[in-house]
Amino acid sequence: MSVQEKDEYTHSAGGHEVTVGIFDSGIGGLGVLHEAVCALPQARFLFYADRAHVPYGERSEREILSYAEEITAFLRERGCAAIVIACNTATSVAAEALREHYRGEGLPIIGMEPAVKPALEWEPEGPVLVIATPVTVREHKLQALLERLDATHRVHVHPMPELVRFAEGERFEDPAVEAYLAEELMPYVEAGIQSVVLGCTHFNYFVPQLRALFGPGVRLFDGNDGTVRHLAALLGLQAESEPDGRFRESAFDQTRITCFDSGVEITDPAELAFFSRLHARFAQTRQ
Ligand code: DGL
């Protein structure tokens, strides 16, 4: 990156207290960005979607680690004071290594993990379902979390890789999504599960279909809100909330958000309009 380019990113934090980098394999991380943009009006954001390499959930640990390292260095170079891994899969594989690497520089690395704890607390006796990518399901991190929290083995874990493909293919309302959800999840619906953890940020795009399948009593848990509260606490920032505790809704403001697609800044108005529409969609489906 040229010195001039670097200056441009660093100085454009001016007017805002801090620049935060948020990354995901693709558009799933826009749900985390949405919460962060609403919660932290004093921050500006660099959002990096690694769409050239999505889906991470079906790649090797080595590949995922190398992408996460490259992206973190990219965001760091552009002046980010904290990095949010808006991806459960990349967190499982790379968060520890990244924290170790950046410890000396004091760069906070905020990861995500499936919101098992609130789900178990909300459902004090019955079963809980966690859906995630194949990598998250098999990684040690989730297994260790379940060993710690789920002594009575109430948690069922199910990989749903196709949901990532549907989201990236922008097939949000496709009947094939409903068919896939029914095929994979009907046994859990029939078992009366009412507590479902969205262990992949791409799955938030299918909240309406999941509600329709499990019925009106279902409670869906994601880690977006908790991740942003953690980010705010680490940066010593006050999160802007409504009286009901939700973050105050805020538009997709391009003076505060710069987006990258696998290292290339997104400037195409049609693509930015698409991201802006997804941002608005999260306003309607947030938990
Ligand atoms: N959005 C990511 C997650 O939260 C991963 C999706 C993928 O690339 O497989 O796990």
Side-chain angles (χ1 to χ4, degrees), residues 24-25 28-29 54-58 86-90 133 136 164 199-202:
D24 180 32
S25 60
V54 70
Y56 280 8
E58 295 171 64
C87 174
N88 295 262
T89 309
T133 68
T136 300
V164 178
C200 168
T201 50
H202 280 76

Side-chain angles (χ1 to χ4, degrees), residues 117-161:
K117 192 162 185 271
L120 282 170
E121 284 168 1
W122 183 75
E123 182 69 86
E125 282 173 5
V128 168
L129 173 65
V130 177
I131 52 176
T133 68
V135 167
T136 300
V137 166
R138 74 166 180 258
E139 271 297 306
H140 169 76
K141 200 168 188 300
L142 179 59
Q143 301 307 329
L145 185 73
L146 295 179
E147 268 168 41
R148 212 169 60 239
L149 299 177
D150 184 28
T152 53
H153 304 290
R154 289 196 283 130
V155 179
H156 303 261
V157 180
H158 194 92
M160 306 262 328

